[in-house]
Amino acid sequence: MSPTQDPQQQSSQSTRLQLTSPILKHLSKFPLSRVLKKQKVVTLPDDATIARALETLSKNKIRSAPVLNTRSKDHPERILGIIGTVDICYYMLEIAPNPNTMTRRELNNFFIEGSEISSQKVYKILDRSGLNPVETFVSTSNLPNIVTICLSKGVHRVLILESGEVVATVSRSDIVRLLWTEIHNEKPDPLTKQFADLPIKGTVVHQQKDIVTCKTNDPVLLVLDKLRDAGHKSLPIVDNEGRVVDNFSSSEVSGLVRDAWPSFGDNAADFKKHVYELKGEKVPPLVFTKMNATVGEVIEKLVGGKNSIHVLWVVDDNMKPIGSISLTDILRFAVHWEPEESE
């Protein structure tokens, strides 16, 4: 983990970026408090077992939690890393003899008290997925620098410290949601409006020839295995004709209750139905876009209202996937975008 970012260094870095980025310049007008999720941040000691971590994540309905150093007084860092449900899933894939063919009974026994995975210490599997690198900032940090650190180091969520304690988090979703709010302002900044009206084609869309997909009957463990191997956070689920019918992201396994684990042998649709029923929620509908959409329309689908989507699939007229747009794509384009000068 890198040390907490120095405010003076942040100021120098962000000033250089603002000269070429009107979107970052606009965001720099807002205090960090505008996007802070300032609440009690649930943490785990580094000697906690996976069983305890799963219980804590499920009870608090969270995807991940910072892990605090409690074993070594000589260790310079207070925060060792972050542990998430997806890290535990990927660890399970590593040690399971045949993860893609495990029965419900085998999956249930896999997490019984005293089993290898349940008794493993969380400090040994920190960021197993590669999706939870940790960066810390102080509460006086500026927003543009957090954006650039997130992009340069692949960080999806940063921790905000006060007096060495974690008091809040800021995610890429929070930052893009602020941008969405500004786009829908009664009197939006002209450049922000111009940014939102740009077509996604040739700007934010990540077009791909060979998109990794999963079939409707693939068990969730196989889907997770493909996610891990591809290094993605989300994969489209396609039917026998190759048409997108669903989406499965790493967040689907977040905060799972103990009763959900045997469902990892089910297909994605059945798994999601069971998990959301246990949570007392409805399965969210498939959200997608087409190549004729604008940047603003895509941002609306990603984070507008109560939406919280990390990856949006771009489909053709036959519902076949031809590309994707992530929160990272939006932020990266925002950082490097330079408006055309009017004649």
Side-chain angles (χ1 to χ4, degrees):
M1 184 187 73
S2 69
T4 303
Q5 303 296 311
D6 177 73
Q8 290 185 346
Q9 183 182 10
Q10 293 170 25
S11 177
S12 174
Q13 292 174 352
S14 62
T15 298
R16 291 196 297 271
L17 286 164
Q18 289 169 27
L19 295 176
T20 58
S21 174
I23 298 299
L24 278 186
K25 185 175 182 180
H26 182 70
L27 293 180
S28 69
K29 300 176 182 179
F30 301 100
L32 187 58
S33 58
R34 182 71 181 268
V35 294
L36 281 185
K37 290 181 177 177
K38 199 159 186 178
Q39 57 192 35
K40 181 181 179 181
V41 178
V42 177
T43 61
L44 285 163
D46 54 4
D47 61 353
T49 63
I50 286 179
R52 178 180 171 183
L54 285 172
E55 182 181 358
T56 300
L57 295 173
S58 174
K59 179 181 178 181
N60 292 279
K61 297 182 178 181
I62 54 178
R63 298 176 180 178
S64 59
V67 175
L68 305 182
N69 174 28
T70 59
R71 298 176 304 110
S72 175
K73 295 182 179 179
D74 297 328
H75 198 288
E77 299 291 355
R78 165 72 168 156
I79 303 168
L80 297 181
I82 295 177
I83 186 75
T85 314
V86 68
D87 298 311
I88 298 170
C89 289
Y90 286 6
Y91 176 63
M92 178 181 70
L93 291 173
E94 291 177 17
I95 68 173
N98 297 293
N100 296 334
T101 59
M102 292 179 71
T103 65
R104 294 180 70 89
R105 182 175 180 180
E106 289 173 327
L107 284 163
N108 188 59
N109 291 338
F110 212 57
F111 288 93
I112 62 174
E113 186 175 353
S115 67
E116 180 181 357
I117 191 168
S118 291
S119 58
Q120 180 65 278
K121 305 294 185 182
V122 295
Y123 74 87
K124 292 186 176 182
I125 64 165
L126 290 177
D127 195 23
R128 206 67 161 205
S129 65
L131 299 175
N132 288 314
V134 61
E135 289 288 331
T136 60
F137 288 80
V138 294
S139 56
T140 55
S141 302
N142 65 62
L143 199 51
N145 194 56
I146 290 179
V147 172
T148 55
I149 291 296
C150 283
L151 292 175
S152 65
K153 298 191 175 183
V155 180
H156 296 278
R157 179 181 288 102
V158 301
L159 306 178
I160 307 301
L161 307 183
E162 288 183 0
S163 302
E165 298 296 324
V166 183
V167 296
T169 62
V170 176
S171 68
R172 295 185 187 189
S173 294
D174 299 325
I175 298 168
V176 176
R177 187 168 287 110
L178 173 59
L179 184 55
W180 171 77
T181 302
E182 287 305 294
I183 290 171
H184 290 271
N185 195 311
E186 289 185 3
K187 295 182 179 180
D189 173 76
L191 288 177
T192 302
K193 181 68 167 59
Q194 183 181 339
F195 176 82
D197 289 340
L198 291 169
I200 63 170
K201 188 174 182 178
T203 56
V204 296
V205 66
H206 181 54
Q207 289 184 262
Q208 302 159 268
K209 290 185 178 179
D210 300 313
I211 296 177
V212 179
T213 63
C214 290
K215 297 291 187 180
T216 52
N217 60 345
D218 285 345
V220 169
L221 282 173
L222 177 58
V223 178
L224 287 170
D225 206 13
K226 287 188 175 183
L227 276 172
R228 180 185 62 169
D229 291 345
H232 296 335
K233 292 195 69 175
S234 178
L235 289 179
I237 306 296
V238 300
D239 62 15
N240 291 334
E241 303 298 323
R243 295 170 297 200
V244 179
V245 295
D246 202 352
N247 176 69
F248 194 94
S249 72
S250 57
S251 62
E252 308 288 0
V253 300
S254 300
L256 290 186
V257 295
R258 175 67 180 80
D259 292 343
W261 287 92
S263 298
F264 273 87
D266 296 344
N267 64 51
D270 290 343
F271 174 85
K272 289 170 70 171
K273 181 180 179 181
H274 183 213
V275 167
Y276 279 94
E277 283 178 351
L278 289 171
K279 294 179 179 180
E281 302 172 6
K282 292 183 178 180
V283 178
L286 172 67
V287 180
F288 59 89
T289 192
K290 300 216 173 160
M291 197 63 81
N292 60 356
T294 65
V295 172
E297 289 169 343
V298 164
I299 292 176
E300 172 83 24
K301 290 187 175 185
L302 287 168
V303 298
K306 295 183 179 180
N307 292 352
S308 183
I309 301 173
H310 290 93
V311 178
L312 190 67
W313 295 104
V314 183
V315 301
D316 62 16
D317 290 338
N318 296 314
M319 286 299 292
K320 294 186 177 182
I322 55 176
S324 62
I325 303 172
S326 67
L327 296 172
T328 300
D329 295 324
I330 296 292
L331 289 175
R332 183 173 288 118
F333 180 60
V335 165
H336 296 290
W337 174 63
E338 295 185 23
E340 295 182 2
E341 295 183 4
S342 57
E343 296 182 359

